[in-house]
Amino acid sequence: MKLLQGTVLSNTWVSPRYKHMSIHAPEIVEECKAGQFFHLKCSDSFSPLLRRPMSIYKIVKKEGEIHFLYLIKGEGTKCLANMHQGDQLNMFGPLGNGFTLQTEWHSLLIVARGVGLATMAPLIDMATKQGIATYAILSARTKGDILSADYMKECGAEVVSLTDEDRDSDVEHVRKMVENVIDSKSIDALFTCGSKRLTNMLKGISLQRKIPGQVAMEENMGCGSGMCFCCVKPFNRGGEIVNLRVCSEGPVFQLEEVMEL
Amino acid sequence: MKVSIGGVSMKNPVMPASGTFAEETAQIFDLSVLGALVTKSVTKYPRMGNRGPRIAETIAGMINAVGIQSKGSQVIRETSIPFYQQFNSPLIVSISADTADEFVDLAQELSVPGVAALEINISCPNLEDDGRSYAMDPTQTYRVVDYIRKSTQLPLYAKLTPNTNAITEVAVAAEAAGADAVVVANTMLSMVIDVETRKPKVGNIMGGLSGPCTKPVILRMVYQVYKKVGIPIIGCGGICSAEDAIEYMIAGASAVQVGTYNFVNPIGMVDIIQGMKEYAVRHRISSLSDLVGSVCVDEQTRIDKAAAY
Ligand SMILES: Cc1cc2nc3c(=O)[nH]c(=O)nc-3n(C[C@H](O)[C@H](O)[C@H](O)COP(=O)(O)OP(=O)(O)OC[C@H]3O[C@@H](n4cnc5c(N)ncnc54)[C@H](O)[C@@H]3O)c2cc1C
Ligand SMILES: Cc1cc2nc3c(=O)[nH]c(=O)nc-3n(C[C@H](O)[C@H](O)[C@H](O)COP(=O)(O)O)c2cc1C
Ligand code: FES
């Protein structure tokens, strides 16, 4: 982890609610891994005061670039949205533990919703580079919010998109699709981010079918680096309930350990 | 830049506030630059802490309800205390307990080589006084500090709460009971509600307010306490810059602790120390201690009158 100033290369609207930001930060790209995040200082003033956690959406090692894909939600992300090319972004990271891939895995199923889509894109890139096939079921409110589908396809995933506006994103329907993909593609591991209901559903399948899974979790954060215990959630680790820090012991956890979302 | 707080000499007056600093900070900068190191409050036995969410942002501040998640004193003795030995800054261990007896046990267990002083967190709710904190009341403060004082040779820093209408009396009681310094202060009891869901924004319903929005209130308390006690005061509340730290010293603090700002700027304490050095040069001050309590107040508006507000 480093504290650094990145230079904004671009910050563009990609849908009515989301922006895509690319940052030049060559000193840090080599350290970055899918599933990790940066703690971003969105403004120089005391409002908002705290940093905002943001997953790495894309790592372009050759060009020294880190990308973020973010939903404009409240004050912090509004400030991010107001940044322009050439501005300096105060970044702290990369933080947390990323996704891990086992060498014996051949195919992965990824289920993501909403802002979780951003977190999953670099996982697909990482898997493809290791010769692992990826199948992604993406869910969002509107077609416009399924932003990373093209990038995920480019990275090598087979992608299905579901939306609330098309009324095909309900959990039961997703469950059936997940079971179909598991059966037809002999999936070795499940990955998810962005939805409590989908995570619960996937945890059930993971336990029932004994397929390992990983989930990237979110929680409000103070320090982002393991010091303050503000981001703690309970997990079931080997039958014992333990309070773990999402920022430093996560944000990626084993699906079977998840209790409260 | 040197200061001495209750017998502990520090290379500068800047240290982290308990709970906002940990071993992880060593990955960001060399901890030897700090005046002292302060641990998160340690309890005797492991504690889980409160349910989430544990943090909510407010205007220029934040509310936390972590609830002291602790690994217990044994783990601290075996891991944290040895870890901090590699740095050339005195270690202050913060202790927290539900009863006076437990405080005494902890003070004894943690009076070990490598620990320069104990900070006693008497500002959290306890079990002996109906969930109130010792530092809300001068009599309770005297009782618990006196009891701990008799159990250890180490310097004791009593950490006071702003959630009392008797901060000066509490500070005087701590001094009378043998505290070597007072930390003014812990967080302010507070609350935020999400108007969409009508639910409190922290799992514990209420929590402690910290950050720059609290600074004028805590600064006032430091000023009031300085008038009444002879032991050093460590100012703590909303410090985000060298100017803030200097302001606390002018109000009467001999040293300062930085909390929430560590989250905003992970190298914030390093910047503050540097800024204080520059201030000293700019104002031709040979020792920062000369600043302590140097606020210019004319006789007409002295403390007793101002207190009428
Ligand atoms: C590890 C991690 C990775 C993330 N990655 C992305 C991403 O790639 N793209 C994206 O759009 N969003 C992501 N988020 C969510 C993002 O951090 C929040 O949307 C953002 O903090 C909202 O800030 P705000 O000021 O705009 O909103 P507000 O709602 O006004 O924020 C108020 C407070 O709540 C906190 N907060 C609100 N929502 C969340 C949340 N979901 N998680 C944690 N804290 C929150 C804020 O940090 C702030 O302190 C991620 C969250 C985490 C924990
Ligand atoms: C997340 C968090 C955890 C804290 N934990 C403790 C603690 O364990 N013991 C303690 O005495 N104070 C604790 N505090 C209070 C701080 O030490 C400090 O008194 C307070 O935050 C005010 O300073 P600030 O405005 O600079 O943050 C905590 C504060 C925060 C924000
Ligand atoms: S945010 Fe501080 S420990 Fe996770």
Side-chain angles (χ1 to χ4, degrees):
Chain A
M1 64 172 118
K2 281 195 185 96
L3 185 68
L4 66 146
Q5 298 282 342
T7 308
V8 177
L9 297 172
S10 66
N11 189 20
T12 47
W13 288 102
V14 285
S15 86
R17 302 198 302 141
Y18 282 84
K19 277 191 118 169
H20 175 186
M21 182 185 255
S22 62
I23 305 288
H24 188 61
E27 64 270 51
I28 204 77
V29 281
E30 287 300 328
E31 275 181 50
C32 294
K33 205 181 154 197
Q36 289 186 303
F37 69 97
F38 279 87
H39 219 16
L40 305 178
K41 184 79 185 97
C42 302
S43 102
D44 291 333
S45 74
F46 286 159
S47 177
L49 182 68
L50 299 173
R51 290 172 178 265
R52 298 292 187 261
M54 213 49 81
S55 294
I56 298 168
Y57 169 56
K58 195 174 183 177
I59 311 163
V60 192
K61 289 204 171 147
K62 219 171 65 211
E63 314 288 341
E65 288 174 21
I66 303 287
H67 294 223
F68 301 107
L69 180 68
Y70 60 98
L71 171 74
I72 287 76
K73 190 178 176 209
E75 211 189 339
T77 45
K78 258 184 217 130
C79 289
L80 267 192
N82 285 334
M83 296 193 78
H84 300 285
Q85 189 186 351
D87 286 351
Q88 297 287 302
L89 176 64
N90 185 310
M91 312 161 69
F92 181 41
L95 300 168
N97 301 303
F99 296 106
T100 47
L101 298 177
Q102 310 271 328
T103 41
E104 64 272 21
W105 289 348
H106 299 293
S107 55
L108 313 178
L109 173 60
I110 289 156
V111 181
R113 181 171 167 91
V115 297
L117 268 63
T119 313
M120 288 305 180
L123 168 67
I124 293 172
D125 189 38
M126 177 165 90
T128 304
K129 283 177 179 150
Q130 296 184 25
I132 301 173
T134 48
Y135 303 89
I137 300 175
L138 309 180
S139 163
R141 270 204 228 165
T142 65
K143 286 195 200 73
D145 288 344
I146 307 254
L147 297 159
S148 38
D150 290 340
Y151 174 55
M152 287 181 175
K153 282 181 201 158
E154 231 175 82
C155 289
E158 212 171 279
V159 177
V160 184
S161 303
L162 309 170
T163 60
D164 301 356
E165 62 181 4
D166 284 345
R167 296 174 190 281
D168 56 7
S169 60
D170 66 283
V171 178
E172 274 320 300
H173 183 233
V174 181
R175 179 200 300 278
K176 284 194 193 107
M177 294 191 67
V178 167
E179 294 193 319
N180 277 336
V181 179
I182 291 175
D183 291 334
S184 60
K185 310 287 182 188
S186 65
I187 295 295
D188 297 305
L190 308 170
F191 289 83
T192 190
C193 181
S195 157
K196 296 181 186 192
R197 284 182 304 159
L198 292 178
T199 302
N200 273 331
M201 181 270 287
L202 224 53
K203 179 187 168 186
I205 293 181
S206 160
L207 290 173
Q208 196 188 348
R209 301 214 177 198
K210 304 211 163 21
I211 301 174
Q214 293 168 28
V215 54
M217 306 271 284
E218 287 182 15
E219 186 51 86
N220 292 19
M221 291 182 180
C223 68
S225 52
M227 305 188 292
C228 71
F229 289 82
C230 284
C231 63
V232 161
K233 281 182 184 295
F235 292 87
N236 182 333
R237 195 155 263 188
E240 196 192 337
I241 296 172
V242 287
N243 269 341
L244 300 176
R245 291 161 293 182
V246 171
C247 71
S248 58
E249 282 144 317
V252 176
F253 291 93
Q254 297 299 316
L255 205 45
E256 62 187 33
E257 296 181 339
V258 169
M259 292 172 57
E260 273 173 32
L261 290 154
Chain B
M1 293 285 277
K2 281 204 197 97
V3 290
S4 173
I5 307 294
V8 181
S9 49
M10 304 182 185
K11 58 175 84 71
N12 63 61
V14 180
M15 59 192 115
S18 174
T20 64
F21 165 90
E23 281 96 317
E24 286 83 357
T25 315
Q27 295 171 41
I28 313 167
F29 64 85
D30 177 8
L31 304 186
S32 298
V33 305
L34 297 174
L37 312 174
V38 184
T39 68
K40 166 137 196 86
S41 293
V42 182
T43 53
K44 189 163 167 40
Y45 301 107
R47 271 172 66 137
M48 290 282 275
N50 290 331
R51 55 167 309 177
R54 290 177 168 190
I55 180 171
E57 192 166 339
T58 60
I59 293 172
M62 59 168 274
I63 293 181
N64 92 81
V66 174
I68 313 215
Q69 180 169 345
S70 163
K71 294 190 188 120
S73 54
Q74 198 183 339
V75 175
I76 300 304
R77 246 180 34 199
E78 287 163 8
T79 61
S80 302
I81 296 175
F83 174 84
Y84 289 122
Q85 288 310 292
Q86 59 182 299
F87 304 104
N88 180 23
S89 299
L91 176 65
I92 296 158
V93 174
S94 167
I95 58 175
S96 188
D98 286 330
T99 64
D101 283 328
E102 218 175 283
F103 260 121
V104 164
D105 288 351
L106 269 171
Q108 285 170 344
E109 275 173 48
L110 292 163
S111 294
V112 294
V115 179
L118 294 175
E119 181 174 289
I120 48 179
N121 178 4
I122 52 172
S123 29
C124 270
N126 66 67
L127 294 181
E128 289 179 327
D129 195 18
D130 200 20
R132 290 158 54 85
S133 70
Y134 295 105
M136 286 167 85
D137 177 73
T139 316
Q140 291 289 347
T141 299
Y142 185 88
R143 186 176 72 86
V144 70
V145 175
D146 179 55
Y147 201 36
I148 304 168
R149 176 68 287 168
K150 292 181 175 127
S151 68
T152 176
Q153 299 295 317
L154 285 176
L156 287 181
Y157 299 174
K159 184 155 178 188
L160 308 188
T161 176
N163 305 316
T164 170
N165 55 10
I167 188 91
T168 49
E169 289 86 341
V170 170
V172 167
E175 180 177 32
D180 299 280
V182 283
V183 183
V184 179
N186 212 311
T187 53
M188 295 160 68
L189 193 61
S190 55
M191 185 170 178
V192 250
I193 300 170
D194 182 328
V195 295
E196 298 300 323
T197 61
R198 302 193 195 182
K199 284 188 186 156
K201 284 195 185 173
V202 291
N204 193 48
I205 304 173
M206 291 176 281
L209 183 67
S210 64
C213 63
T214 67
K215 200 191 78 184
V217 178
I218 308 296
L219 188 91
R220 177 270 292 175
M221 292 184 168
V222 167
Y223 174 71
Q224 289 179 312
V225 170
Y226 181 72
K227 300 278 168 190
K228 301 282 176 184
V229 302
I231 51 176
I233 299 165
I234 301 170
C236 175
I239 294 173
C240 297
S241 66
E243 287 70 25
D244 291 345
I246 301 278
E247 193 179 351
Y248 266 99
M249 294 188 79
I250 295 171
S254 295
V256 294
Q257 293 185 345
V258 180
T260 304
Y261 189 58
N262 294 322
F263 305 162
V264 179
N265 178 4
I267 57 161
M269 289 185 288
V270 180
D271 293 347
I272 288 171
I273 293 166
Q274 181 58 30
M276 289 173 87
K277 278 186 190 149
E278 289 165 12
Y279 177 93
V281 171
R282 196 151 38 89
H283 288 264
R284 298 170 204 266
I285 296 166
S286 57
S287 165
L288 281 179
S289 311
D290 296 347
L291 289 173
V292 178
S294 64
V295 59
C296 306
V297 182
D298 65 45
E299 285 301 300
Q300 310 285 286
T301 51
R302 277 207 4 240
I303 170 97
D304 309 330
K305 282 209 172 168
Y309 276 89

